[in-house]
Amino acid sequence: GGEEFVILLPETDALTAQNVANRIRREVETQVLDTAMGSVSLSISAGIAELAMEEDDTLEGMIGRADAALYAAKASGRNRCLIYCGAATLKTMRI
């Protein structure tokens, strides 16, 4: 379970966006929540995609690719940030 949200970074390439996502991921994983049932650790996974301006791309298409990368990140172990690089290739760069 978890929430999904979109962060749009205008004029930012995928590698820079991945660096931003990894900074957020590292900060989140340092947080521990104390609950009545004990401590809870947090993690996030992120999917990153660029808007392909020269190919009549759409915002919906970009979000769909980011969503595919997000699910690949979850499937490959969670707590990681993946860039969408095509249907067959998702690039991992965990920092």
Side-chain angles (χ1 to χ4, degrees), residues 12-22 48 50 83 91 93 95:
T12 305
D13 64 25
L15 286 177
T16 303
Q18 188 178 47
N19 288 334
V20 170
N22 272 309
I48 295 122
E50 288 185 56
I83 297 172
K91 181 196 247 178
M93 188 171 95
I95 301 172

Side-chain angles (χ1 to χ4, degrees), residues 39-50:
S39 296
V40 177
S41 298
L42 304 174
S43 69
I44 64 168
S45 297
I48 295 122
E50 288 185 56

